[in-house]
Amino acid sequence: MILVTGGAGFIGSNFVLDWLAQSDEPVLNLDVLTYAGNLENLASLQGDARHVFVQGDICDRALIDRLLAEHRPRAIVHFAAESHVDRSIHGPGAFMRTNIEGTYTLLEAARAHWSGLDDAAKAAFRFHHVSTDEVYGSLGASDPAFTETKAFEPNSPYSASKAASDHLVRAWFHTYGLPVVTTNCSNNYGPYHFPEKLIPLMIVNALASKPLPIYGDGQNVRDWLYVCDHASAIRAVLAGGRLGETYNIGGWNEKTNLEIVHTVCDLLDELKPDAAGSYRRLITYVKDRPGHDRRYAIDARKVERELGWRPAETFETGIRKTVQWYLDHPDWVAHVQSGAYRDWVSQNYAERQAD
Ligand code: NAD
Ligand code: TDX
């Protein structure tokens, strides 16, 4: 069994679905279900004994101790976080608590559990920390892409909190010998992406004929990876990554925000034409995000060279699948927009609640 934290969020739920599609090894999914946690993402696993869901907080040490003692997972894959940069600007407190204190709590619980294992189980144990390219800071137009040795220069409360968590994970390896690996990934996109982030927001706003807000001049660059490719990279690093190492994960797909929004509009024009004209008419420039990082770019050669990982999707195939997924899942979108997804857990899913 593996313990996944944050497995009801965007990337975590895609990872759990992918994991259980690839193997029969059960998943213990610990998620407190903030606004970003949505068990509807995992509806297809209802009744599947390989998926055990526990609603609980990664800051709750007693709960984590109990779960580790009871289920004895061979690995922890740690996704749980506050993840939205704009929210971190308006209210950084939750980011400090979950991303820093939560990671610290999990590391300490993992260390206590791991130190009680026999030598073989100790050697096999993994703490896989899922992190972001944003810890590296912002690049100029002609700077080389981020490598794993790039100094951390986080600029937002979100990225600063993730950078702190990456440092904690590193320290628990060097000081205590906890067998950790860390992945720093570029911007993900794909199914189940909460529509506060750029790509899903543009899709759902366009379908509702609402403005498509572009921050600043729209020329900020992000490096995009289809979420299932992130899941396959995590599997590869968990299986074969060297202890204490970090691996950058990315799709070699740098795009300006304006290019992204144009692509989304053009795909919608093709797949769901609007009588009022091209969806590009809805593009609206708005005030820039404070401290808005100009460019991220990931150099993923280390994971490619050491572990032979490659993304399966190009940006063109991945974005087409994504737009089609949102068109095919109006109920998921409607439940997220109305807030009904929050009732879903009590009505359909919760197998166990934390004390
Ligand atoms: P998300 O916001 O969609 O999901 C986060 C999940 O964590 C939610 O289900 C939420 O309920 C849960 N959670 C939050 N606080 C918790 C707590 N205290 N205890 C237990 N569960 C809690 O985020 P995401 O986009 O899926 O990102 C997952 C991870 O991947 C994060 O660590 C993020 O930093 C990292 N990451 C994200 C991206 C991206 O593009 N989204 C890119 C690189 C790395
Ligand atoms: O309405 C918008 N208009 C806009 O122009 C939104 C929501 C975003 N943007 C811009 C800001 C960014 O330059 O689009 C870009 C992408 O924004 P987000 O989707 O908010 O993602 P970003 O800030 O790049 O962070 C994401 O990628 C790295 C995730 O949210 C993080 O969790 C991850 O670590």
Side-chain angles (χ1 to χ4, degrees), residues 175-192:
T175 303
Y176 304 113
L178 187 71
V180 309
V181 282
T182 295
T183 43
N184 292 85
C185 188
S186 59
N187 283 55
N188 285 212
Y189 67 99
Y192 308 115

PDB file of all heavy atoms in Angstrom, residues 175-192:
ATOM      1  N   THR A 175      19.903  14.908   7.525  1.00  0.00           N
ATOM      2  CA  THR A 175      20.081  14.817   8.975  1.00  0.00           C
ATOM      3  C   THR A 175      19.690  13.449   9.525  1.00  0.00           C
ATOM      4  O   THR A 175      20.411  12.877  10.348  1.00  0.00           O
ATOM      5  CB  THR A 175      19.243  15.913   9.683  1.00  0.00           C
ATOM      6  OG1 THR A 175      19.645  17.169   9.170  1.00  0.00           O
ATOM      7  CG2 THR A 175      19.445  15.883  11.195  1.00  0.00           C
ATOM      8  N   TYR A 176      18.537  12.939   9.065  1.00  0.00           N
ATOM      9  CA  TYR A 176      18.012  11.716   9.675  1.00  0.00           C
ATOM     10  C   TYR A 176      18.121  10.488   8.777  1.00  0.00           C
ATOM     11  O   TYR A 176      17.804   9.383   9.205  1.00  0.00           O
ATOM     12  CB  TYR A 176      16.530  11.906  10.048  1.00  0.00           C
ATOM     13  CG  TYR A 176      16.277  13.084  10.968  1.00  0.00           C
ATOM     14  CD1 TYR A 176      15.567  14.197  10.517  1.00  0.00           C
ATOM     15  CD2 TYR A 176      16.745  13.088  12.285  1.00  0.00           C
ATOM     16  CE1 TYR A 176      15.321  15.278  11.352  1.00  0.00           C
ATOM     17  CE2 TYR A 176      16.510  14.169  13.126  1.00  0.00           C
ATOM     18  CZ  TYR A 176      15.797  15.264  12.646  1.00  0.00           C
ATOM     19  OH  TYR A 176      15.559  16.328  13.472  1.00  0.00           O
ATOM     20  N   GLY A 177      18.474  10.725   7.494  1.00  0.00           N
ATOM     21  CA  GLY A 177      18.576   9.596   6.569  1.00  0.00           C
ATOM     22  C   GLY A 177      17.235   9.107   6.049  1.00  0.00           C
ATOM     23  O   GLY A 177      17.156   8.026   5.443  1.00  0.00           O
ATOM     24  N   LEU A 178      16.149   9.880   6.280  1.00  0.00           N
ATOM     25  CA  LEU A 178      14.847   9.464   5.746  1.00  0.00           C
ATOM     26  C   LEU A 178      14.966   9.350   4.218  1.00  0.00           C
ATOM     27  O   LEU A 178      15.463  10.262   3.566  1.00  0.00           O
ATOM     28  CB  LEU A 178      13.773  10.499   6.127  1.00  0.00           C
ATOM     29  CG  LEU A 178      12.336  10.106   5.789  1.00  0.00           C
ATOM     30  CD1 LEU A 178      11.837   8.988   6.713  1.00  0.00           C
ATOM     31  CD2 LEU A 178      11.399  11.318   5.902  1.00  0.00           C
ATOM     32  N   PRO A 179      14.533   8.229   3.640  1.00  0.00           N
ATOM     33  CA  PRO A 179      14.708   8.034   2.187  1.00  0.00           C
ATOM     34  C   PRO A 179      13.706   8.862   1.369  1.00  0.00           C
ATOM     35  O   PRO A 179      12.584   8.421   1.122  1.00  0.00           O
ATOM     36  CB  PRO A 179      14.478   6.535   1.980  1.00  0.00           C
ATOM     37  CG  PRO A 179      14.034   5.978   3.274  1.00  0.00           C
ATOM     38  CD  PRO A 179      13.971   7.045   4.307  1.00  0.00           C
ATOM     39  N   VAL A 180      14.123  10.030   0.960  1.00  0.00           N
ATOM     40  CA  VAL A 180      13.232  10.960   0.259  1.00  0.00           C
ATOM     41  C   VAL A 180      13.622  11.096  -1.212  1.00  0.00           C
ATOM     42  O   VAL A 180      14.781  10.887  -1.580  1.00  0.00           O
ATOM     43  CB  VAL A 180      13.259  12.364   0.909  1.00  0.00           C
ATOM     44  CG1 VAL A 180      13.019  12.288   2.409  1.00  0.00           C
ATOM     45  CG2 VAL A 180      14.561  13.085   0.607  1.00  0.00           C
ATOM     46  N   VAL A 181      12.644  11.445  -2.031  1.00  0.00           N
ATOM     47  CA  VAL A 181      12.887  11.964  -3.388  1.00  0.00           C
ATOM     48  C   VAL A 181      11.938  13.147  -3.580  1.00  0.00           C
ATOM     49  O   VAL A 181      10.845  13.163  -3.002  1.00  0.00           O
ATOM     50  CB  VAL A 181      12.630  10.917  -4.501  1.00  0.00           C
ATOM     51  CG1 VAL A 181      13.776   9.936  -4.620  1.00  0.00           C
ATOM     52  CG2 VAL A 181      11.301  10.196  -4.300  1.00  0.00           C
ATOM     53  N   THR A 182      12.361  14.119  -4.361  1.00  0.00           N
ATOM     54  CA  THR A 182      11.522  15.291  -4.619  1.00  0.00           C
ATOM     55  C   THR A 182      11.419  15.489  -6.123  1.00  0.00           C
ATOM     56  O   THR A 182      12.410  15.335  -6.849  1.00  0.00           O
ATOM     57  CB  THR A 182      12.139  16.548  -3.976  1.00  0.00           C
ATOM     58  OG1 THR A 182      12.141  16.388  -2.558  1.00  0.00           O
ATOM     59  CG2 THR A 182      11.347  17.808  -4.324  1.00  0.00           C
ATOM     60  N   THR A 183      10.210  15.836  -6.582  1.00  0.00           N
ATOM     61  CA  THR A 183      10.044  16.225  -7.979  1.00  0.00           C
ATOM     62  C   THR A 183       9.537  17.660  -8.038  1.00  0.00           C
ATOM     63  O   THR A 183       8.653  18.048  -7.268  1.00  0.00           O
ATOM     64  CB  THR A 183       9.062  15.287  -8.713  1.00  0.00           C
ATOM     65  OG1 THR A 183       7.934  15.020  -7.877  1.00  0.00           O
ATOM     66  CG2 THR A 183       9.741  13.962  -9.064  1.00  0.00           C
ATOM     67  N   ASN A 184      10.115  18.439  -8.945  1.00  0.00           N
ATOM     68  CA  ASN A 184       9.679  19.824  -9.157  1.00  0.00           C
ATOM     69  C   ASN A 184       9.123  19.912 -10.574  1.00  0.00           C
ATOM     70  O   ASN A 184       9.863  19.810 -11.554  1.00  0.00           O
ATOM     71  CB  ASN A 184      10.855  20.795  -8.993  1.00  0.00           C
ATOM     72  CG  ASN A 184      11.329  20.847  -7.560  1.00  0.00           C
ATOM     73  OD1 ASN A 184      12.136  20.019  -7.130  1.00  0.00           O
ATOM     74  ND2 ASN A 184      10.814  21.786  -6.796  1.00  0.00           N
ATOM     75  N   CYS A 185       7.821  20.099 -10.647  1.00  0.00           N
ATOM     76  CA  CYS A 185       7.148  19.995 -11.949  1.00  0.00           C
ATOM     77  C   CYS A 185       6.642  21.351 -12.431  1.00  0.00           C
ATOM     78  O   CYS A 185       6.355  22.249 -11.648  1.00  0.00           O
ATOM     79  CB  CYS A 185       5.975  19.013 -11.836  1.00  0.00           C
ATOM     80  SG  CYS A 185       5.217  18.612 -13.409  1.00  0.00           S
ATOM     81  N   SER A 186       6.518  21.457 -13.733  1.00  0.00           N
ATOM     82  CA  SER A 186       5.965  22.660 -14.354  1.00  0.00           C
ATOM     83  C   SER A 186       4.436  22.655 -14.264  1.00  0.00           C
ATOM     84  O   SER A 186       3.845  21.751 -13.665  1.00  0.00           O
ATOM     85  CB  SER A 186       6.423  22.725 -15.808  1.00  0.00           C
ATOM     86  OG  SER A 186       5.987  21.569 -16.479  1.00  0.00           O
ATOM     87  N   ASN A 187       3.794  23.656 -14.877  1.00  0.00           N
ATOM     88  CA  ASN A 187       2.329  23.791 -14.802  1.00  0.00           C
ATOM     89  C   ASN A 187       1.631  22.585 -15.417  1.00  0.00           C
ATOM     90  O   ASN A 187       1.881  22.260 -16.575  1.00  0.00           O
ATOM     91  CB  ASN A 187       1.864  25.033 -15.578  1.00  0.00           C
ATOM     92  CG  ASN A 187       2.107  26.314 -14.833  1.00  0.00           C
ATOM     93  OD1 ASN A 187       3.225  26.588 -14.429  1.00  0.00           O
ATOM     94  ND2 ASN A 187       1.067  27.112 -14.655  1.00  0.00           N
ATOM     95  N   ASN A 188       0.744  21.992 -14.643  1.00  0.00           N
ATOM     96  CA  ASN A 188      -0.053  20.873 -15.148  1.00  0.00           C
ATOM     97  C   ASN A 188      -1.371  21.378 -15.727  1.00  0.00           C
ATOM     98  O   ASN A 188      -1.884  22.425 -15.322  1.00  0.00           O
ATOM     99  CB  ASN A 188      -0.407  19.919 -14.007  1.00  0.00           C
ATOM    100  CG  ASN A 188       0.747  19.052 -13.539  1.00  0.00           C
ATOM    101  OD1 ASN A 188       0.546  17.929 -13.114  1.00  0.00           O
ATOM    102  ND2 ASN A 188       1.973  19.549 -13.631  1.00  0.00           N
ATOM    103  N   TYR A 189      -1.944  20.574 -16.620  1.00  0.00           N
ATOM    104  CA  TYR A 189      -3.304  20.834 -17.106  1.00  0.00           C
ATOM    105  C   TYR A 189      -3.913  19.488 -17.453  1.00  0.00           C
ATOM    106  O   TYR A 189      -3.196  18.504 -17.660  1.00  0.00           O
ATOM    107  CB  TYR A 189      -3.297  21.779 -18.326  1.00  0.00           C
ATOM    108  CG  TYR A 189      -2.661  21.153 -19.546  1.00  0.00           C
ATOM    109  CD1 TYR A 189      -3.451  20.592 -20.549  1.00  0.00           C
ATOM    110  CD2 TYR A 189      -1.276  21.068 -19.676  1.00  0.00           C
ATOM    111  CE1 TYR A 189      -2.874  19.968 -21.644  1.00  0.00           C
ATOM    112  CE2 TYR A 189      -0.693  20.451 -20.762  1.00  0.00           C
ATOM    113  CZ  TYR A 189      -1.497  19.903 -21.743  1.00  0.00           C
ATOM    114  OH  TYR A 189      -0.918  19.271 -22.816  1.00  0.00           O
ATOM    115  N   GLY A 190      -5.255  19.446 -17.491  1.00  0.00           N
ATOM    116  CA  GLY A 190      -5.921  18.190 -17.832  1.00  0.00           C
ATOM    117  C   GLY A 190      -7.255  18.086 -17.115  1.00  0.00           C
ATOM    118  O   GLY A 190      -7.762  19.068 -16.558  1.00  0.00           O
ATOM    119  N   PRO A 191      -7.845  16.872 -17.075  1.00  0.00           N
ATOM    120  CA  PRO A 191      -9.141  16.662 -16.426  1.00  0.00           C
ATOM    121  C   PRO A 191      -9.104  16.993 -14.932  1.00  0.00           C
ATOM    122  O   PRO A 191      -8.059  16.875 -14.297  1.00  0.00           O
ATOM    123  CB  PRO A 191      -9.388  15.156 -16.611  1.00  0.00           C
ATOM    124  CG  PRO A 191      -8.534  14.762 -17.748  1.00  0.00           C
ATOM    125  CD  PRO A 191      -7.342  15.666 -17.732  1.00  0.00           C
ATOM    126  N   TYR A 192     -10.244  17.367 -14.391  1.00  0.00           N
ATOM    127  CA  TYR A 192     -10.437  17.621 -12.954  1.00  0.00           C
ATOM    128  C   TYR A 192      -9.652  18.824 -12.437  1.00  0.00           C
ATOM    129  O   TYR A 192      -9.399  18.932 -11.239  1.00  0.00           O
ATOM    130  CB  TYR A 192     -10.065  16.380 -12.108  1.00  0.00           C
ATOM    131  CG  TYR A 192     -10.733  15.099 -12.529  1.00  0.00           C
ATOM    132  CD1 TYR A 192      -9.997  14.031 -13.038  1.00  0.00           C
ATOM    133  CD2 TYR A 192     -12.113  14.957 -12.395  1.00  0.00           C
ATOM    134  CE1 TYR A 192     -10.623  12.852 -13.417  1.00  0.00           C
ATOM    135  CE2 TYR A 192     -12.742  13.772 -12.772  1.00  0.00           C
ATOM    136  CZ  TYR A 192     -11.988  12.730 -13.284  1.00  0.00           C
ATOM    137  OH  TYR A 192     -12.596  11.555 -13.657  1.00  0.00           O
TER     138      TYR A 192
END
